[in-house]
Amino acid sequence: MAQPLRHALTRPARPLALLLALGACQTLETETPDVISGADASGAGGSSPIGGGGQNGNGGQNTGNGGQNTGNGGQNTGGQGTGGQGNGGTVVEPIGGMQPPPPPDCEALAVTARIEQQGNLTRSDAIEIHYTAPEGTTISAASPEGGLFTQRRDKTLFYSPGGSINGPSELRWPWFTGTVHITVRATDARGCRGEAETSVVVDGDVLVSDASSGGIFALGSDGRVIGRYRQGGVRGTSDLILLPESAGGGFAYATPGYDDDPPTITRLGADGRKDPAQFQMETNAHAPLYPDGSGPQRLIYDAAENELLGDNGYGGAVHRWTLDGAYQGSWDAPTDPGSGPMDRRPMGFAHLADGRIAFAIEGSRDIFTLLGGRIELFARFETGITVFGAGAEDTVIVGGRPGSPTLLVRLDADASEISRAEVSSDDRPQKISPFRSGYLRTEPSSYALVFHTGNLEVPENQDDYWAQDYMNRNGLEGADGFVWLNR
């Protein structure tokens, strides 16, 4: 069962563990777990291998547990040790690196390994690896995806993805929800070895655009700001979405216009590099798609038409582009008698399992579905709509403000109500999207992301669900568009 190690992983004054190098044996003086290895994994910032023993510190190459070029809090030092003498002892190759061959008469040692997982891990969780090995052997462990392996004095072995800020040995990032493969090795005094493999599933990170700098940051599934992934639009992004692998993968994001600068849509490839495609933000008659320069607030990929759709168009217009940026016109929602073009602006999107795409009309009560260019009324909400988005498991989330509190309602694919909640007047959801067992949302005045439970309520203690590090945000000042990396 996962064991939270949130404080141990985030407080430099209380390091997670003393480094126990692969294949090395060390006497421990306390019950503090010993890190026994890292892995050959890379974050988004570089491609150099990251090992468990490291150089010049406790963590990986030129780093310690505190982050880049630091140890446990000291600049350009090994923290509790200095130079090449951190807490890790002798630097050795991790599993998978250059290993001396075992003696020719060795038989493989009998080793088993298993993990009893009852839910996906976050970056700050640790889970026990149950293993068996011959008495007197030295245990080492590693994963090609990265992470921290720790062993207590009683030989209990744990794996954690790692939640430190820019930690050199943590799970590589940005991480999509998926499997981490773990190898446990036992080595005896003669050099004979045996290995066993097991695995664990770790929830994906969250990519968030900073409204101030436009940087796109990676946040762990526990809320920690890991680091800057890429530079997005200079004014931040109003939305950031995943593109399916069938369409080439990667991301797309929208940047609002400002003064004489028009709004833009940008694609990032699966490797995070900007695609050269220039999205057309005017009609073929050179009329701007967004006369006020606002731009799309939400994007969605329409698999049926192989197009990218953007909301916020005048007169109910849902604008359409090919993935190379060519403008294809718009799908237009019905207009109400007496309403002007500014009164009928599409707001938000959600996929339904039967292929329909749902969207709302901002300030109106109308929710529509779109399929193959055909627009039909889906539901009429009980109040003017201020937020609309995808819900979990083929549902939609719609919200409005009939009074002081904001009302949030979850509807199924037949527009039947599943659940509802009221959040305080201080909480004005701007964008809401599924995340783990619940939802994340942004709001106009907040620099943080806020967690909602599966029944749409806001828990009293966010740290129990979404442990954002308010003291070290690594450059992230204001959360704007975001996407959970979960395919």
Side-chain angles (χ1 to χ4, degrees):
M1 183 174 180
Q3 298 185 5
L5 289 180
R6 177 171 295 139
H7 300 301
L9 286 168
T10 56
R11 296 181 182 177
R14 296 174 58 191
L16 170 68
L18 301 175
L19 187 62
L20 175 60
L22 282 167
C25 185
Q26 181 175 337
T27 301
L28 308 180
E29 301 298 331
T30 72
E31 289 293 337
T32 303
D34 284 325
V35 176
I36 61 175
S37 80
D40 288 327
S42 298
S47 58
S48 58
I50 297 173
Q55 301 171 359
N56 303 323
N58 296 333
Q61 187 175 9
N62 297 319
T63 63
N65 291 339
Q68 188 175 9
N69 297 319
T70 64
N72 290 335
Q75 185 174 8
N76 296 320
T77 70
Q80 296 178 2
T82 59
Q85 298 178 345
N87 291 332
T90 304
V91 177
V92 298
E93 292 290 335
I95 291 176
M98 297 298 295
Q99 297 284 333
D105 58 343
C106 276
E107 293 186 3
L109 303 181
V111 180
T112 68
R114 63 182 173 85
I115 290 177
E116 297 176 354
Q117 185 171 4
Q118 298 181 2
N120 294 356
L121 299 187
T122 73
R123 284 186 172 269
S124 57
D125 289 331
I127 194 166
E128 183 176 358
I129 304 173
H130 301 275
Y131 69 94
T132 62
E135 187 71 24
T137 55
T138 298
I139 300 301
S140 55
S143 167
E145 292 84 15
L148 302 173
F149 293 89
T150 70
Q151 189 173 42
R152 295 196 309 221
R153 187 166 58 186
D154 63 3
K155 303 303 181 183
T156 307
L157 181 64
F158 291 89
Y159 171 79
S160 173
S164 59
I165 304 297
N166 285 339
S169 298
E170 69 182 50
L171 181 69
R172 67 174 179 237
W173 62 276
W175 175 258
F176 282 79
T177 299
T179 301
V180 174
H181 302 86
I182 293 169
T183 300
V184 177
R185 171 181 289 174
T187 307
D188 66 14
R190 296 180 58 233
C192 299
R193 298 192 291 264
E195 294 181 354
E197 296 182 352
T198 186
S199 62
V200 68
V201 179
V202 180
D203 268 325
D205 298 330
V206 179
L207 292 186
V208 183
S209 172
D210 180 40
S212 299
S213 67
I216 298 174
F217 289 79
L219 277 65
S221 48
D222 56 358
R224 304 180 196 285
V225 183
I226 301 170
R228 182 190 293 261
Y229 172 60
R230 292 291 185 269
Q231 178 61 38
V234 294
R235 292 175 297 281
T237 73
S238 53
D239 200 16
L240 176 66
I241 66 167
L242 281 172
L243 294 174
E245 294 180 355
S246 60
F251 310 90
Y253 65 85
T255 301
Y258 183 77
D259 286 341
D260 294 333
D261 293 332
T264 59
I265 296 175
T266 305
R267 284 190 64 184
L268 297 178
D271 59 359
R273 297 182 181 180
K274 287 187 177 181
D275 189 282
Q278 297 291 319
F279 278 76
Q280 184 180 345
M281 301 307 290
E282 59 182 20
T283 69
N284 292 329
H286 302 289
L289 301 181
Y290 297 90
D292 61 357
S294 59
Q297 297 297 306
R298 305 290 180 269
L299 300 172
I300 197 168
Y301 174 71
D302 184 352
E305 302 294 327
N306 192 29
E307 293 177 346
L308 197 65
L309 307 182
D311 70 353
N312 203 34
Y314 279 24
V318 175
H319 292 300
R320 308 158 47 209
W321 296 267
T322 63
L323 291 182
D324 61 3
Y327 183 62
Q328 300 297 295
S330 65
W331 305 122
D332 299 326
T335 59
D336 284 343
S339 64
M342 288 290 290
D343 300 325
R344 300 289 289 178
R345 302 187 79 156
M347 179 185 195
F349 293 112
H351 282 293
L352 297 176
D354 60 6
R356 290 177 297 166
I357 294 175
F359 65 94
I361 301 296
E362 183 177 7
S364 169
R365 298 172 52 203
D366 293 340
I367 304 171
F368 295 98
T369 58
L370 166 66
L371 180 62
R374 182 182 178 87
I375 293 179
E376 296 181 338
L377 183 67
F378 176 72
R380 280 204 163 93
F381 195 50
E382 56 200 82
T383 187
I385 298 170
T386 59
V387 61
F388 185 85
E393 300 175 344
D394 197 27
T395 62
V396 301
I397 304 296
V398 58
R401 301 187 69 184
S404 179
T406 296
L407 173 67
L408 293 176
V409 177
R410 184 180 175 204
L411 304 175
D412 67 15
D414 295 322
S416 298
E417 181 176 320
I418 298 175
S419 61
R420 66 170 53 206
E422 290 186 351
V423 297
S424 72
S425 57
D426 295 331
D427 300 322
R428 294 184 294 122
Q430 190 171 38
K431 179 183 178 183
I432 190 165
S433 182
F435 173 73
R436 305 197 80 220
S437 62
Y439 300 87
L440 286 180
R441 76 144 201 269
T442 56
E443 55 190 31
S445 60
S446 174
Y447 66 85
L449 290 168
V450 178
F451 182 82
H452 287 247
T453 62
N455 60 7
L456 300 177
E457 295 178 349
V458 179
E460 292 185 3
N461 185 359
Q462 284 282 318
D463 285 349
D464 290 344
Y465 302 87
W466 178 247
Q468 294 188 81
D469 185 350
Y470 290 92
M471 299 303 293
N472 190 348
R473 297 185 64 83
N474 233 19
L476 176 62
E477 296 183 8
D480 202 350
F482 69 95
V483 62
W484 181 30
L485 301 185
N486 183 64
R487 292 196 187 276

